[in-house]
Amino acid sequence: MASAAIPTVTRVVTQVVTQTVASATPSSTQRATPQGGILEGSNPSIYDPKNPIFIFVIQAGIILIFCRLLHYPLSKLRQPRVIAEVIGGVILGPSAMGHIPGFTNAIFPATSIPNLTLVANLGLVLFLFLVGLEVDLRYLVSNWRVAITVGALGMALPFGMGCAIAYGLYNQFRDDPGTVPISFGVYMLFVAVAMAITAFPVLCRILTELKLLQTPVGVIVLSAGVSNDLVGWILLALCVALVNAGSGLTALWVLLVCVGYILFLAFAIRPGFLWILRRSGSLQNGPTQSIVALTLIMVLASAFFTGVIGVHPIFGGFVIGLICPHEGGFAIKITEKVEDLVAVLFLPLYFALSGLSTNLGLLNNGITWAYVIGVVSVAFFTKVIGGTVAAKLNGLVWRESFTIGALMSCKGLVELIVLNIGLQAKILSTRTFTIFVVMALITTFATTPLTTALYPRWYQIKIEAWKRGEIDWDGNRLTNDENSMDPDETSMAKAESADVGKILTYLRLDSMPGVLALVSLFSKPISTIAVSRVHHTKQESRSSEDSDVAGFSAVRPVQIYGLHLMELTDRASSVMSVAEIDEYTLRDPVVNTFRTFGQLRNIPVSGQVMVVPEASYATTLVDKASDVSADVLLIPWTLSGTMSEYEIEDSTNRFANGAFSHFVVSSLSRAPCNTAIFVDNGFSNKKKAKASQVLSRTISAISTRDMQHFSTATTNKGYHIYMPYIGSDDDKAAIRLVLQLARDIKVTATIVQFELPEATVASLQGTQDQDQLSSAPTSASSKNRVRTTTYNAASDRYSGFFSTVRDSLPSALASRVIFETVLSSSPYQTIMKKIKDDVEHSPKDSGDLIVLGRNSAIDTILSAGSGDGASAVLLESEAKQGLGVLAEGILGHVPKASLLVVRSSR
């Protein structure tokens, strides 16, 4: 019986399987959804509502790549990224590529646009949250008078003229397809807001890139921009509420609820949010992941609420950004967490959608182009005139006032957001939307060139000097008879006779140990007698004794200014750092370390952070040196081999980076004072502690690296300086610097004068002239002959200077400073040998520093024997131009010694 059941079961199973396989035909409706993708023949470019991700990836990829490619040439014209994003959308839309047969239906089918719009609108909410974070209400409070004046008049005139031109637009285009019947009052309000609004985020970027934020123009524009932005969004919310409401009473209720919600956020939510931030330490240490999550939940919830009450969801994100605190840099730090995803992915999609909705083909008749010209003229000239008149009423000169007017005319991405809201609300037709997009592009594009032309750097310097009373309006210097010397002559005389009183140093994280060690040599002990502290209640009994100490401690040798440069990027957080630069400086670890060091070593120091484009590093550094009247500009050479401040262990040649070499050469060519380039090779006795690469097993059975490396508490017994003196203005500046450093009791110095026999100079001159005549144009050979002849003629003067300095050496330095004179026919080899011998005989625990003049005028003589010895370091051409022939040889022959290359401003 059991044996009979087995064939029966087998027969049933076989029959079921056969029927199932037979039913699974290509035409079967019961077949499962294919999962093989393109392997089963599916086309990912065809929109599938069940899998919209495929077409979305294609659309996003095309938009992002296209916008990035467009931004590259536009960035050379200093245009914001939004210009490229909108133009990219216009080109991808019906105005250009939409004319290609099948392009729009294949890449941007109408059924896929809602998904693209959803992602773009989510990004828009987050972007308006970032805009709210950028708006610092403290600017409005501290500059309320000028903010209200410039902001009000800068909005009133374009608002009124916008109402006037709205009458013609309403009657001409109100019957266009894609609009809903609305009253003229609502339409007029929307057009007036579109005319009067200013793009605050783009304005911040322009001011930052042109380095105007700290100028009177920048402060006024930023303050007025805050007030303009707030009033504009309030009026836009009113307009949207009026459109969405069915009656005037409903619109009133919407506005009252919106006002109540803002008050609730300001007086209930914000204090609680601040309590949570302080309790979690996020104000001091930056937002944790939980705080970031809480903030984003607040943004989305607020957007939901403002959307459901009849106001656009973007207002919810904006007000949450407004209530976020700026204390402790919280607004900057939360921006850093969110901005990249928003700026890189979401915003290009949104503004590309604006371009897709723009159809330049609709501007197809004379009356339409007349309104294009009218809208552009009203939007531009009314903003310029209003801002100019308001600035003039606040006491600015006409050129400054016109600059403020030009900046206030910037529309940018805020204008495009307003226009998209009008298009979605069907206030604007596609034709009128296109008219306003053209206006936004033109006004935004014109802002930077106009500002650069109206307010260049030379005019900023002139107007500041005029306001200080240093020059008259024609630029003539106002000086007394007893001080009528030309400023250039004054600076030269000062450099010749006086000690270094002010130093500006470029602060870098990687070179801080060496710079601090070098700067410490300028410190002067307050007293050799130890004086104990006295309680403040018993100070009267020792007032006479303390007065003597106080009088002695008032002697301060050198003032050191430190400037920490940070790169300005197109990130919003970078722009916010510039706007809050004073608070940012107080939190900067590099500047704080520098200040603490100055207090410990009794050196008057001042530190500052400046956020500028990398291409402006040299200009910023030189301008700062001029502002503080520095005697020496100290530039440490990078340890990372790049412009980055973070040291790279695998950096094989730190002199091969062209960007940093160009920065140094640019600084040298523009510096108004003596310049010293510091190449640190262990001057601070810093030894690199490499992490152990051997894993050791611990009692917990976990293999870990042993990181218990302790630096030995060594006391540096001193520093030894060696200086080759050849004879030039650079050497004269260098020898004075060496003697000032040698006043520190821990410093010894060897100063060697190298003289060339006249026959050697003549032979070198003849050889170089022959070489130049055979391989270079006549002008080049003449230039070298002039250099050599100049050196030969001036050698007596420089030798006399050396003798004078040697004979007038103070007795306090006689035991630590030695002068020598060497006569050599091959200066390069002799200098290398003498330096190597001197460094080898210096104490092992001392920091060796070689100080030399740049001596660019006699490089041809020094390079005559530079090829005879092998050098371990070959400088790239621009680095060699900055450091010189001698520096290249020293870095190759004496790699353990640090180097200070001095270039005179004469």
Side-chain angles (χ1 to χ4, degrees), residues 769 772 777-787:
D769 287 347
Q772 294 292 339
T778 305
S779 59
S781 62
S782 301
K783 184 177 180 181
N784 281 282
R785 282 198 300 272
V786 170
R787 285 182 174 180

Side-chain angles (χ1 to χ4, degrees), residues 517 520-521 523 525 601 716-720 741-748 816 846-847:
S520 68
L521 300 182
S523 64
R601 297 306 300 261
N716 194 320
K717 294 185 178 180
Y719 299 92
H720 180 67
L741 292 172
R743 294 175 188 173
D744 191 293
I745 59 175
K746 301 187 299 296
V747 176
T748 60
R816 292 183 285 107
S846 66

Side-chain angles (χ1 to χ4, degrees), residues 1 44 137 151 157 175 260 286 317 413 416 490 508 557 578 606 667 669 672 697 782 854:
M1 183 176 180
L137 295 178
L157 186 58
D175 295 328
L413 44 81
L416 293 169
T490 303
R508 291 176 54 90
V578 181
S606 174
S667 301
S669 62
R697 188 173 296 277
S782 301
R854 170 61 187 85

Side-chain angles (χ1 to χ4, degrees), residues 6 18 21 59 119 283 294 371 455 538 540 575 682 712 806 828 883 887 893:
I6 292 175
T18 302
V21 172
Q59 294 169 341
V119 177
L283 276 183
L294 174 63
Y371 274 106
Y455 204 57
K538 300 182 179 182
E540 295 181 359
V575 178
T712 57
R806 179 190 58 199
Y828 182 87
L883 295 175
H893 289 83

Side-chain angles (χ1 to χ4, degrees), residues 658-672:
F660 191 85
S661 301
H662 179 73
F663 156 70
V664 172
V665 172
S666 298
S667 301
L668 286 174
S669 62
R670 302 174 184 176

Side-chain angles (χ1 to χ4, degrees), residues 256-380:
L256 291 177
V257 171
C258 189
V259 171
Y261 175 65
I262 293 174
L263 295 176
F264 172 72
L265 289 177
F267 296 103
I269 299 299
R270 189 175 191 274
F273 188 49
L274 281 173
W275 181 84
I276 294 175
L277 295 179
R278 293 193 181 97
R279 189 68 179 268
S280 63
S282 295
L283 276 183
Q284 299 81 11
N285 306 318
T288 63
Q289 194 174 62
S290 299
I291 294 298
V292 174
L294 174 63
T295 306
L296 293 179
I297 290 173
M298 291 170 57
V299 171
L300 296 177
S302 181
F304 170 79
F305 182 79
T306 55
V308 298
I309 65 173
V311 186
H312 202 281
I314 64 173
F315 295 102
F318 179 73
V319 294
I320 293 297
L322 284 179
I323 68 170
C324 284
H326 287 254
E327 291 80 0
F330 176 80
I332 297 177
K333 294 170 184 174
I334 198 71
T335 302
E336 291 173 346
K337 306 292 185 182
V338 183
E339 61 182 339
D340 281 347
L341 184 62
V342 174
V344 173
L345 178 61
F346 290 143
L347 272 189
L349 298 182
Y350 182 82
F351 293 120
L353 280 176
S354 301
L356 290 173
S357 302
T358 303
N359 190 353
L360 297 178
L362 296 178
L363 308 180
N364 54 4
N365 53 52
I367 189 64
T368 304
W369 277 106
Y371 274 106
V372 170
I373 297 173
V375 168
V376 172
S377 301
V378 169
F380 179 74

Side-chain angles (χ1 to χ4, degrees), residues 7-25:
T8 304
V9 173
T10 304
R11 191 182 309 112
V12 172
V13 172
T14 303
Q15 185 178 2
V16 171
V17 172
T18 302
Q19 293 176 352
T20 304
V21 172
S23 63
T25 61

